[in-house]
Amino acid sequence: MSITKTLRASALAASLAIALGMAFTPAPAAAAGAASTTGSTTFSVILQPTTLLYYYSAINLTVPSSALLALAGGAPTALGAQGLTATGTASTLSATAATFAPGAPGSISAVGLTLGNVWAVRSITTPTSGTTSVSVSFSGSTTQASATLNGSTTGSSIALSSLATSPTSFNGTGLGGTPQVGNVTMTMDLSNAKTAETYSGATIYITASST
């Protein structure tokens, strides 16, 4: 019995030695011309809606006298003949017309103004229902369509109203494509403008967003 156990133990030890020797044997280097393998990775780029707005930091609009005259009724208008009777003293005379009724001052109180090509937008939108929207306001936080420009003389002012823009929505142009340009319109009341100078005090806020 002891001889059999000894032989089994010797055989087991030999087997372990062989196994350990195999485990620590360095793997042979890959031979030239061995077979290769290829894996594939799907690659995609996800773009988010993006809006790029171009605008002027200031717009100074000069209205020439000829345009003001046209708005106020055009060329001077001759009224009918007036017969006057003078009264006076030994050294002075005076004669005053009984009535004087000039015509209405044209459309001076409701002058439509269009500012063309005053903003431009490049944008990326979603492919199905995405659009770019543009709005204008005289306030940075709310939709405000009216404002007042004041001159240096008290009571001399220009009232602005009905501020709007066009277009208000459009498809994405791409950031490298031709931009969408737009206009801004408003109505000016010039009936209280009494001095020839710069009237100021209003800011136009342009907001563009894409979905």
Side-chain angles (χ1 to χ4, degrees), residues 54-98:
Y54 304 85
Y55 62 96
Y56 293 101
S57 59
I59 294 177
N60 300 312
L61 175 67
T62 298
V63 182
S65 299
S66 57
L68 289 173
L69 287 174
L71 293 170
T77 301
L79 303 180
Q82 179 71 53
L84 300 178
T85 300
T87 61
T89 65
S91 60
T92 62
L93 292 173
S94 66
T96 304

PDB file of all heavy atoms in Angstrom, residues 54-98:
ATOM      1  N   TYR A  54     -27.097  88.624 -37.222  1.00  0.00           N
ATOM      2  CA  TYR A  54     -26.320  89.801 -37.603  1.00  0.00           C
ATOM      3  C   TYR A  54     -27.235  91.020 -37.497  1.00  0.00           C
ATOM      4  O   TYR A  54     -28.376  90.982 -37.972  1.00  0.00           O
ATOM      5  CB  TYR A  54     -25.807  89.678 -39.044  1.00  0.00           C
ATOM      6  CG  TYR A  54     -24.994  88.436 -39.321  1.00  0.00           C
ATOM      7  CD1 TYR A  54     -25.614  87.234 -39.657  1.00  0.00           C
ATOM      8  CD2 TYR A  54     -23.604  88.458 -39.263  1.00  0.00           C
ATOM      9  CE1 TYR A  54     -24.871  86.091 -39.920  1.00  0.00           C
ATOM     10  CE2 TYR A  54     -22.859  87.325 -39.534  1.00  0.00           C
ATOM     11  CZ  TYR A  54     -23.504  86.137 -39.854  1.00  0.00           C
ATOM     12  OH  TYR A  54     -22.772  85.004 -40.119  1.00  0.00           O
ATOM     13  N   TYR A  55     -26.750  92.118 -36.911  1.00  0.00           N
ATOM     14  CA  TYR A  55     -27.579  93.310 -36.748  1.00  0.00           C
ATOM     15  C   TYR A  55     -26.687  94.534 -36.611  1.00  0.00           C
ATOM     16  O   TYR A  55     -25.479  94.430 -36.370  1.00  0.00           O
ATOM     17  CB  TYR A  55     -28.478  93.175 -35.517  1.00  0.00           C
ATOM     18  CG  TYR A  55     -27.709  93.038 -34.223  1.00  0.00           C
ATOM     19  CD1 TYR A  55     -27.451  94.152 -33.418  1.00  0.00           C
ATOM     20  CD2 TYR A  55     -27.219  91.805 -33.810  1.00  0.00           C
ATOM     21  CE1 TYR A  55     -26.734  94.029 -32.235  1.00  0.00           C
ATOM     22  CE2 TYR A  55     -26.508  91.674 -32.635  1.00  0.00           C
ATOM     23  CZ  TYR A  55     -26.269  92.789 -31.855  1.00  0.00           C
ATOM     24  OH  TYR A  55     -25.546  92.668 -30.697  1.00  0.00           O
ATOM     25  N   TYR A  56     -27.282  95.710 -36.770  1.00  0.00           N
ATOM     26  CA  TYR A  56     -26.559  96.967 -36.611  1.00  0.00           C
ATOM     27  C   TYR A  56     -26.651  97.420 -35.155  1.00  0.00           C
ATOM     28  O   TYR A  56     -27.717  97.360 -34.545  1.00  0.00           O
ATOM     29  CB  TYR A  56     -27.136  98.043 -37.523  1.00  0.00           C
ATOM     30  CG  TYR A  56     -26.915  97.769 -38.994  1.00  0.00           C
ATOM     31  CD1 TYR A  56     -27.932  97.251 -39.788  1.00  0.00           C
ATOM     32  CD2 TYR A  56     -25.681  98.026 -39.580  1.00  0.00           C
ATOM     33  CE1 TYR A  56     -27.724  96.994 -41.138  1.00  0.00           C
ATOM     34  CE2 TYR A  56     -25.463  97.773 -40.928  1.00  0.00           C
ATOM     35  CZ  TYR A  56     -26.492  97.255 -41.695  1.00  0.00           C
ATOM     36  OH  TYR A  56     -26.281  96.995 -43.022  1.00  0.00           O
ATOM     37  N   SER A  57     -25.545  97.898 -34.613  1.00  0.00           N
ATOM     38  CA  SER A  57     -25.557  98.381 -33.233  1.00  0.00           C
ATOM     39  C   SER A  57     -26.280  99.720 -33.115  1.00  0.00           C
ATOM     40  O   SER A  57     -26.753 100.087 -32.034  1.00  0.00           O
ATOM     41  CB  SER A  57     -24.123  98.521 -32.709  1.00  0.00           C
ATOM     42  OG  SER A  57     -23.384  99.427 -33.510  1.00  0.00           O
ATOM     43  N   ALA A  58     -26.384 100.462 -34.216  1.00  0.00           N
ATOM     44  CA  ALA A  58     -27.107 101.733 -34.218  1.00  0.00           C
ATOM     45  C   ALA A  58     -27.564 102.045 -35.631  1.00  0.00           C
ATOM     46  O   ALA A  58     -26.887 101.697 -36.605  1.00  0.00           O
ATOM     47  CB  ALA A  58     -26.238 102.862 -33.681  1.00  0.00           C
ATOM     48  N   ILE A  59     -28.716 102.684 -35.752  1.00  0.00           N
ATOM     49  CA  ILE A  59     -29.221 103.162 -37.035  1.00  0.00           C
ATOM     50  C   ILE A  59     -29.595 104.624 -36.871  1.00  0.00           C
ATOM     51  O   ILE A  59     -30.398 104.980 -36.003  1.00  0.00           O
ATOM     52  CB  ILE A  59     -30.450 102.352 -37.504  1.00  0.00           C
ATOM     53  CG1 ILE A  59     -30.056 100.908 -37.805  1.00  0.00           C
ATOM     54  CG2 ILE A  59     -31.071 102.995 -38.739  1.00  0.00           C
ATOM     55  CD1 ILE A  59     -31.220 100.024 -38.192  1.00  0.00           C
ATOM     56  N   ASN A  60     -28.999 105.490 -37.675  1.00  0.00           N
ATOM     57  CA  ASN A  60     -29.308 106.910 -37.664  1.00  0.00           C
ATOM     58  C   ASN A  60     -30.018 107.257 -38.966  1.00  0.00           C
ATOM     59  O   ASN A  60     -29.420 107.181 -40.044  1.00  0.00           O
ATOM     60  CB  ASN A  60     -28.032 107.740 -37.519  1.00  0.00           C
ATOM     61  CG  ASN A  60     -27.281 107.431 -36.237  1.00  0.00           C
ATOM     62  OD1 ASN A  60     -27.874 107.380 -35.167  1.00  0.00           O
ATOM     63  ND2 ASN A  60     -25.983 107.213 -36.342  1.00  0.00           N
ATOM     64  N   LEU A  61     -31.286 107.610 -38.875  1.00  0.00           N
ATOM     65  CA  LEU A  61     -32.113 107.880 -40.051  1.00  0.00           C
ATOM     66  C   LEU A  61     -32.243 109.388 -40.248  1.00  0.00           C
ATOM     67  O   LEU A  61     -32.758 110.089 -39.376  1.00  0.00           O
ATOM     68  CB  LEU A  61     -33.498 107.253 -39.876  1.00  0.00           C
ATOM     69  CG  LEU A  61     -34.512 107.553 -40.976  1.00  0.00           C
ATOM     70  CD1 LEU A  61     -34.081 106.897 -42.290  1.00  0.00           C
ATOM     71  CD2 LEU A  61     -35.903 107.072 -40.571  1.00  0.00           C
ATOM     72  N   THR A  62     -31.769 109.888 -41.374  1.00  0.00           N
ATOM     73  CA  THR A  62     -31.904 111.303 -41.706  1.00  0.00           C
ATOM     74  C   THR A  62     -33.080 111.487 -42.655  1.00  0.00           C
ATOM     75  O   THR A  62     -33.144 110.827 -43.701  1.00  0.00           O
ATOM     76  CB  THR A  62     -30.616 111.832 -42.366  1.00  0.00           C
ATOM     77  OG1 THR A  62     -29.527 111.699 -41.439  1.00  0.00           O
ATOM     78  CG2 THR A  62     -30.767 113.293 -42.751  1.00  0.00           C
ATOM     79  N   VAL A  63     -34.019 112.371 -42.304  1.00  0.00           N
ATOM     80  CA  VAL A  63     -35.161 112.669 -43.163  1.00  0.00           C
ATOM     81  C   VAL A  63     -34.933 114.057 -43.766  1.00  0.00           C
ATOM     82  O   VAL A  63     -34.970 115.064 -43.043  1.00  0.00           O
ATOM     83  CB  VAL A  63     -36.477 112.646 -42.361  1.00  0.00           C
ATOM     84  CG1 VAL A  63     -37.660 112.907 -43.293  1.00  0.00           C
ATOM     85  CG2 VAL A  63     -36.646 111.304 -41.644  1.00  0.00           C
ATOM     86  N   PRO A  64     -34.678 114.154 -45.060  1.00  0.00           N
ATOM     87  CA  PRO A  64     -34.408 115.463 -45.674  1.00  0.00           C
ATOM     88  C   PRO A  64     -35.646 116.352 -45.706  1.00  0.00           C
ATOM     89  O   PRO A  64     -36.783 115.876 -45.608  1.00  0.00           O
ATOM     90  CB  PRO A  64     -33.941 115.094 -47.083  1.00  0.00           C
ATOM     91  CG  PRO A  64     -34.552 113.758 -47.337  1.00  0.00           C
ATOM     92  CD  PRO A  64     -34.613 113.054 -46.015  1.00  0.00           C
ATOM     93  N   SER A  65     -35.423 117.645 -45.871  1.00  0.00           N
ATOM     94  CA  SER A  65     -36.528 118.612 -45.900  1.00  0.00           C
ATOM     95  C   SER A  65     -37.515 118.299 -47.014  1.00  0.00           C
ATOM     96  O   SER A  65     -38.735 118.483 -46.863  1.00  0.00           O
ATOM     97  CB  SER A  65     -35.978 120.025 -46.076  1.00  0.00           C
ATOM     98  OG  SER A  65     -35.137 120.380 -44.997  1.00  0.00           O
ATOM     99  N   SER A  66     -37.003 117.844 -48.165  1.00  0.00           N
ATOM    100  CA  SER A  66     -37.894 117.547 -49.291  1.00  0.00           C
ATOM    101  C   SER A  66     -38.893 116.457 -48.928  1.00  0.00           C
ATOM    102  O   SER A  66     -40.076 116.524 -49.323  1.00  0.00           O
ATOM    103  CB  SER A  66     -37.066 117.125 -50.505  1.00  0.00           C
ATOM    104  OG  SER A  66     -36.249 115.996 -50.182  1.00  0.00           O
ATOM    105  N   ALA A  67     -38.435 115.437 -48.173  1.00  0.00           N
ATOM    106  CA  ALA A  67     -39.346 114.372 -47.756  1.00  0.00           C
ATOM    107  C   ALA A  67     -40.361 114.882 -46.743  1.00  0.00           C
ATOM    108  O   ALA A  67     -41.542 114.512 -46.778  1.00  0.00           O
ATOM    109  CB  ALA A  67     -38.546 113.210 -47.175  1.00  0.00           C
ATOM    110  N   LEU A  68     -39.923 115.749 -45.825  1.00  0.00           N
ATOM    111  CA  LEU A  68     -40.845 116.310 -44.841  1.00  0.00           C
ATOM    112  C   LEU A  68     -41.912 117.169 -45.513  1.00  0.00           C
ATOM    113  O   LEU A  68     -43.099 117.123 -45.141  1.00  0.00           O
ATOM    114  CB  LEU A  68     -40.071 117.138 -43.821  1.00  0.00           C
ATOM    115  CG  LEU A  68     -39.201 116.344 -42.842  1.00  0.00           C
ATOM    116  CD1 LEU A  68     -38.358 117.297 -42.001  1.00  0.00           C
ATOM    117  CD2 LEU A  68     -40.051 115.451 -41.944  1.00  0.00           C
ATOM    118  N   LEU A  69     -41.503 117.951 -46.500  1.00  0.00           N
ATOM    119  CA  LEU A  69     -42.468 118.785 -47.218  1.00  0.00           C
ATOM    120  C   LEU A  69     -43.498 117.924 -47.947  1.00  0.00           C
ATOM    121  O   LEU A  69     -44.691 118.245 -47.991  1.00  0.00           O
ATOM    122  CB  LEU A  69     -41.741 119.696 -48.210  1.00  0.00           C
ATOM    123  CG  LEU A  69     -40.969 120.863 -47.590  1.00  0.00           C
ATOM    124  CD1 LEU A  69     -40.182 121.600 -48.670  1.00  0.00           C
ATOM    125  CD2 LEU A  69     -41.911 121.816 -46.868  1.00  0.00           C
ATOM    126  N   ALA A  70     -43.024 116.831 -48.554  1.00  0.00           N
ATOM    127  CA  ALA A  70     -43.952 115.939 -49.257  1.00  0.00           C
ATOM    128  C   ALA A  70     -44.963 115.337 -48.293  1.00  0.00           C
ATOM    129  O   ALA A  70     -46.160 115.227 -48.602  1.00  0.00           O
ATOM    130  CB  ALA A  70     -43.164 114.846 -49.968  1.00  0.00           C
ATOM    131  N   LEU A  71     -44.487 114.953 -47.091  1.00  0.00           N
ATOM    132  CA  LEU A  71     -45.396 114.392 -46.094  1.00  0.00           C
ATOM    133  C   LEU A  71     -46.398 115.432 -45.593  1.00  0.00           C
ATOM    134  O   LEU A  71     -47.554 115.118 -45.297  1.00  0.00           O
ATOM    135  CB  LEU A  71     -44.589 113.844 -44.912  1.00  0.00           C
ATOM    136  CG  LEU A  71     -43.716 112.625 -45.186  1.00  0.00           C
ATOM    137  CD1 LEU A  71     -42.810 112.357 -43.997  1.00  0.00           C
ATOM    138  CD2 LEU A  71     -44.568 111.403 -45.496  1.00  0.00           C
ATOM    139  N   ALA A  72     -45.958 116.678 -45.490  1.00  0.00           N
ATOM    140  CA  ALA A  72     -46.796 117.737 -44.937  1.00  0.00           C
ATOM    141  C   ALA A  72     -47.794 118.309 -45.937  1.00  0.00           C
ATOM    142  O   ALA A  72     -48.603 119.159 -45.585  1.00  0.00           O
ATOM    143  CB  ALA A  72     -45.916 118.861 -44.396  1.00  0.00           C
ATOM    144  N   GLY A  73     -47.725 117.857 -47.162  1.00  0.00           N
ATOM    145  CA  GLY A  73     -48.710 118.335 -48.132  1.00  0.00           C
ATOM    146  C   GLY A  73     -48.126 118.778 -49.444  1.00  0.00           C
ATOM    147  O   GLY A  73     -48.855 119.264 -50.321  1.00  0.00           O
ATOM    148  N   GLY A  74     -46.809 118.680 -49.596  1.00  0.00           N
ATOM    149  CA  GLY A  74     -46.207 118.985 -50.883  1.00  0.00           C
ATOM    150  C   GLY A  74     -45.871 120.447 -51.056  1.00  0.00           C
ATOM    151  O   GLY A  74     -45.510 121.148 -50.113  1.00  0.00           O
ATOM    152  N   ALA A  75     -46.033 120.913 -52.275  1.00  0.00           N
ATOM    153  CA  ALA A  75     -45.650 122.290 -52.624  1.00  0.00           C
ATOM    154  C   ALA A  75     -46.569 123.292 -51.936  1.00  0.00           C
ATOM    155  O   ALA A  75     -47.693 122.970 -51.540  1.00  0.00           O
ATOM    156  CB  ALA A  75     -45.717 122.462 -54.132  1.00  0.00           C
ATOM    157  N   PRO A  76     -46.115 124.553 -51.787  1.00  0.00           N
ATOM    158  CA  PRO A  76     -46.967 125.590 -51.199  1.00  0.00           C
ATOM    159  C   PRO A  76     -48.283 125.700 -51.959  1.00  0.00           C
ATOM    160  O   PRO A  76     -48.331 125.598 -53.194  1.00  0.00           O
ATOM    161  CB  PRO A  76     -46.126 126.861 -51.341  1.00  0.00           C
ATOM    162  CG  PRO A  76     -44.716 126.370 -51.412  1.00  0.00           C
ATOM    163  CD  PRO A  76     -44.781 125.066 -52.125  1.00  0.00           C
ATOM    164  N   THR A  77     -49.350 125.915 -51.219  1.00  0.00           N
ATOM    165  CA  THR A  77     -50.685 125.984 -51.811  1.00  0.00           C
ATOM    166  C   THR A  77     -51.196 127.413 -51.785  1.00  0.00           C
ATOM    167  O   THR A  77     -51.241 128.045 -50.715  1.00  0.00           O
ATOM    168  CB  THR A  77     -51.666 125.067 -51.046  1.00  0.00           C
ATOM    169  OG1 THR A  77     -51.170 123.732 -51.088  1.00  0.00           O
ATOM    170  CG2 THR A  77     -53.044 125.112 -51.661  1.00  0.00           C
ATOM    171  N   ALA A  78     -51.572 127.915 -52.930  1.00  0.00           N
ATOM    172  CA  ALA A  78     -52.135 129.267 -53.013  1.00  0.00           C
ATOM    173  C   ALA A  78     -53.612 129.228 -52.655  1.00  0.00           C
ATOM    174  O   ALA A  78     -54.387 128.450 -53.220  1.00  0.00           O
ATOM    175  CB  ALA A  78     -51.937 129.829 -54.418  1.00  0.00           C
ATOM    176  N   LEU A  79     -53.985 130.046 -51.680  1.00  0.00           N
ATOM    177  CA  LEU A  79     -55.390 130.138 -51.311  1.00  0.00           C
ATOM    178  C   LEU A  79     -56.068 131.186 -52.191  1.00  0.00           C
ATOM    179  O   LEU A  79     -55.433 131.877 -52.985  1.00  0.00           O
ATOM    180  CB  LEU A  79     -55.512 130.508 -49.827  1.00  0.00           C
ATOM    181  CG  LEU A  79     -54.819 129.541 -48.855  1.00  0.00           C
ATOM    182  CD1 LEU A  79     -55.003 130.003 -47.420  1.00  0.00           C
ATOM    183  CD2 LEU A  79     -55.341 128.120 -49.024  1.00  0.00           C
ATOM    184  N   GLY A  80     -57.343 131.301 -52.008  1.00  0.00           N
ATOM    185  CA  GLY A  80     -58.076 132.290 -52.807  1.00  0.00           C
ATOM    186  C   GLY A  80     -57.640 133.715 -52.484  1.00  0.00           C
ATOM    187  O   GLY A  80     -57.054 134.002 -51.441  1.00  0.00           O
ATOM    188  N   ALA A  81     -57.946 134.627 -53.369  1.00  0.00           N
ATOM    189  CA  ALA A  81     -57.596 136.050 -53.187  1.00  0.00           C
ATOM    190  C   ALA A  81     -58.302 136.605 -51.955  1.00  0.00           C
ATOM    191  O   ALA A  81     -59.415 136.201 -51.612  1.00  0.00           O
ATOM    192  CB  ALA A  81     -57.970 136.841 -54.426  1.00  0.00           C
ATOM    193  N   GLN A  82     -57.654 137.514 -51.301  1.00  0.00           N
ATOM    194  CA  GLN A  82     -58.189 138.103 -50.072  1.00  0.00           C
ATOM    195  C   GLN A  82     -58.147 139.625 -50.186  1.00  0.00           C
ATOM    196  O   GLN A  82     -57.074 140.217 -50.392  1.00  0.00           O
ATOM    197  CB  GLN A  82     -57.372 137.660 -48.858  1.00  0.00           C
ATOM    198  CG  GLN A  82     -57.842 138.239 -47.541  1.00  0.00           C
ATOM    199  CD  GLN A  82     -59.158 137.657 -47.080  1.00  0.00           C
ATOM    200  OE1 GLN A  82     -59.305 136.447 -47.001  1.00  0.00           O
ATOM    201  NE2 GLN A  82     -60.133 138.503 -46.787  1.00  0.00           N
ATOM    202  N   GLY A  83     -59.261 140.246 -50.037  1.00  0.00           N
ATOM    203  CA  GLY A  83     -59.300 141.710 -50.055  1.00  0.00           C
ATOM    204  C   GLY A  83     -59.170 142.243 -48.645  1.00  0.00           C
ATOM    205  O   GLY A  83     -59.926 141.859 -47.747  1.00  0.00           O
ATOM    206  N   LEU A  84     -58.206 143.089 -48.392  1.00  0.00           N
ATOM    207  CA  LEU A  84     -57.949 143.620 -47.057  1.00  0.00           C
ATOM    208  C   LEU A  84     -58.180 145.122 -47.034  1.00  0.00           C
ATOM    209  O   LEU A  84     -57.904 145.827 -48.018  1.00  0.00           O
ATOM    210  CB  LEU A  84     -56.511 143.323 -46.628  1.00  0.00           C
ATOM    211  CG  LEU A  84     -56.102 141.847 -46.544  1.00  0.00           C
ATOM    212  CD1 LEU A  84     -54.629 141.742 -46.138  1.00  0.00           C
ATOM    213  CD2 LEU A  84     -56.977 141.074 -45.571  1.00  0.00           C
ATOM    214  N   THR A  85     -58.668 145.592 -45.914  1.00  0.00           N
ATOM    215  CA  THR A  85     -58.859 147.027 -45.713  1.00  0.00           C
ATOM    216  C   THR A  85     -57.941 147.491 -44.595  1.00  0.00           C
ATOM    217  O   THR A  85     -57.986 146.952 -43.484  1.00  0.00           O
ATOM    218  CB  THR A  85     -60.315 147.343 -45.340  1.00  0.00           C
ATOM    219  OG1 THR A  85     -61.175 146.900 -46.391  1.00  0.00           O
ATOM    220  CG2 THR A  85     -60.500 148.837 -45.112  1.00  0.00           C
ATOM    221  N   ALA A  86     -57.105 148.465 -44.862  1.00  0.00           N
ATOM    222  CA  ALA A  86     -56.123 148.927 -43.889  1.00  0.00           C
ATOM    223  C   ALA A  86     -56.739 149.938 -42.933  1.00  0.00           C
ATOM    224  O   ALA A  86     -57.612 150.725 -43.289  1.00  0.00           O
ATOM    225  CB  ALA A  86     -54.934 149.555 -44.599  1.00  0.00           C
ATOM    226  N   THR A  87     -56.275 149.843 -41.719  1.00  0.00           N
ATOM    227  CA  THR A  87     -56.597 150.852 -40.709  1.00  0.00           C
ATOM    228  C   THR A  87     -55.301 151.391 -40.163  1.00  0.00           C
ATOM    229  O   THR A  87     -54.255 150.740 -40.270  1.00  0.00           O
ATOM    230  CB  THR A  87     -57.436 150.250 -39.557  1.00  0.00           C
ATOM    231  OG1 THR A  87     -56.661 149.206 -38.935  1.00  0.00           O
ATOM    232  CG2 THR A  87     -58.749 149.674 -40.068  1.00  0.00           C
ATOM    233  N   GLY A  88     -55.325 152.581 -39.572  1.00  0.00           N
ATOM    234  CA  GLY A  88     -54.065 153.075 -39.047  1.00  0.00           C
ATOM    235  C   GLY A  88     -54.170 154.437 -38.410  1.00  0.00           C
ATOM    236  O   GLY A  88     -55.262 154.973 -38.184  1.00  0.00           O
ATOM    237  N   THR A  89     -52.998 154.916 -38.103  1.00  0.00           N
ATOM    238  CA  THR A  89     -52.857 156.236 -37.502  1.00  0.00           C
ATOM    239  C   THR A  89     -52.113 157.134 -38.467  1.00  0.00           C
ATOM    240  O   THR A  89     -51.993 156.814 -39.662  1.00  0.00           O
ATOM    241  CB  THR A  89     -52.090 156.124 -36.173  1.00  0.00           C
ATOM    242  OG1 THR A  89     -50.752 155.673 -36.451  1.00  0.00           O
ATOM    243  CG2 THR A  89     -52.773 155.160 -35.224  1.00  0.00           C
ATOM    244  N   ALA A  90     -51.542 158.186 -37.946  1.00  0.00           N
ATOM    245  CA  ALA A  90     -50.834 159.119 -38.822  1.00  0.00           C
ATOM    246  C   ALA A  90     -49.586 158.504 -39.426  1.00  0.00           C
ATOM    247  O   ALA A  90     -49.121 158.927 -40.493  1.00  0.00           O
ATOM    248  CB  ALA A  90     -50.473 160.388 -38.039  1.00  0.00           C
ATOM    249  N   SER A  91     -49.000 157.447 -38.775  1.00  0.00           N
ATOM    250  CA  SER A  91     -47.716 156.914 -39.267  1.00  0.00           C
ATOM    251  C   SER A  91     -47.703 155.405 -39.489  1.00  0.00           C
ATOM    252  O   SER A  91     -46.701 154.858 -39.942  1.00  0.00           O
ATOM    253  CB  SER A  91     -46.598 157.283 -38.279  1.00  0.00           C
ATOM    254  OG  SER A  91     -46.882 156.717 -37.007  1.00  0.00           O
ATOM    255  N   THR A  92     -48.758 154.673 -39.127  1.00  0.00           N
ATOM    256  CA  THR A  92     -48.755 153.209 -39.290  1.00  0.00           C
ATOM    257  C   THR A  92     -50.049 152.745 -39.911  1.00  0.00           C
ATOM    258  O   THR A  92     -51.101 153.368 -39.746  1.00  0.00           O
ATOM    259  CB  THR A  92     -48.583 152.490 -37.924  1.00  0.00           C
ATOM    260  OG1 THR A  92     -49.689 152.814 -37.090  1.00  0.00           O
ATOM    261  CG2 THR A  92     -47.270 152.900 -37.248  1.00  0.00           C
ATOM    262  N   LEU A  93     -49.949 151.637 -40.612  1.00  0.00           N
ATOM    263  CA  LEU A  93     -51.122 150.981 -41.184  1.00  0.00           C
ATOM    264  C   LEU A  93     -51.073 149.492 -40.852  1.00  0.00           C
ATOM    265  O   LEU A  93     -49.999 148.904 -40.709  1.00  0.00           O
ATOM    266  CB  LEU A  93     -51.154 151.156 -42.700  1.00  0.00           C
ATOM    267  CG  LEU A  93     -51.403 152.551 -43.254  1.00  0.00           C
ATOM    268  CD1 LEU A  93     -51.227 152.534 -44.773  1.00  0.00           C
ATOM    269  CD2 LEU A  93     -52.803 153.035 -42.880  1.00  0.00           C
ATOM    270  N   SER A  94     -52.210 148.827 -40.782  1.00  0.00           N
ATOM    271  CA  SER A  94     -52.276 147.378 -40.595  1.00  0.00           C
ATOM    272  C   SER A  94     -53.516 146.843 -41.258  1.00  0.00           C
ATOM    273  O   SER A  94     -54.536 147.538 -41.346  1.00  0.00           O
ATOM    274  CB  SER A  94     -52.285 147.016 -39.092  1.00  0.00           C
ATOM    275  OG  SER A  94     -53.470 147.487 -38.486  1.00  0.00           O
ATOM    276  N   ALA A  95     -53.403 145.618 -41.750  1.00  0.00           N
ATOM    277  CA  ALA A  95     -54.543 144.952 -42.374  1.00  0.00           C
ATOM    278  C   ALA A  95     -54.431 143.464 -42.089  1.00  0.00           C
ATOM    279  O   ALA A  95     -53.383 142.856 -42.330  1.00  0.00           O
ATOM    280  CB  ALA A  95     -54.560 145.222 -43.870  1.00  0.00           C
ATOM    281  N   THR A  96     -55.455 142.827 -41.557  1.00  0.00           N
ATOM    282  CA  THR A  96     -55.428 141.421 -41.152  1.00  0.00           C
ATOM    283  C   THR A  96     -56.540 140.665 -41.845  1.00  0.00           C
ATOM    284  O   THR A  96     -57.695 141.118 -41.860  1.00  0.00           O
ATOM    285  CB  THR A  96     -55.589 141.286 -39.616  1.00  0.00           C
ATOM    286  OG1 THR A  96     -54.560 142.050 -38.989  1.00  0.00           O
ATOM    287  CG2 THR A  96     -55.532 139.839 -39.181  1.00  0.00           C
ATOM    288  N   ALA A  97     -56.185 139.496 -42.367  1.00  0.00           N
ATOM    289  CA  ALA A  97     -57.199 138.644 -42.993  1.00  0.00           C
ATOM    290  C   ALA A  97     -58.150 138.124 -41.936  1.00  0.00           C
ATOM    291  O   ALA A  97     -57.761 137.774 -40.815  1.00  0.00           O
ATOM    292  CB  ALA A  97     -56.527 137.500 -43.717  1.00  0.00           C
ATOM    293  N   ALA A  98     -59.383 138.031 -42.260  1.00  0.00           N
ATOM    294  CA  ALA A  98     -60.390 137.605 -41.294  1.00  0.00           C
ATOM    295  C   ALA A  98     -60.231 136.139 -40.931  1.00  0.00           C
ATOM    296  O   ALA A  98     -60.359 135.747 -39.772  1.00  0.00           O
ATOM    297  CB  ALA A  98     -61.779 137.878 -41.860  1.00  0.00           C
TER     298      ALA A  98
END
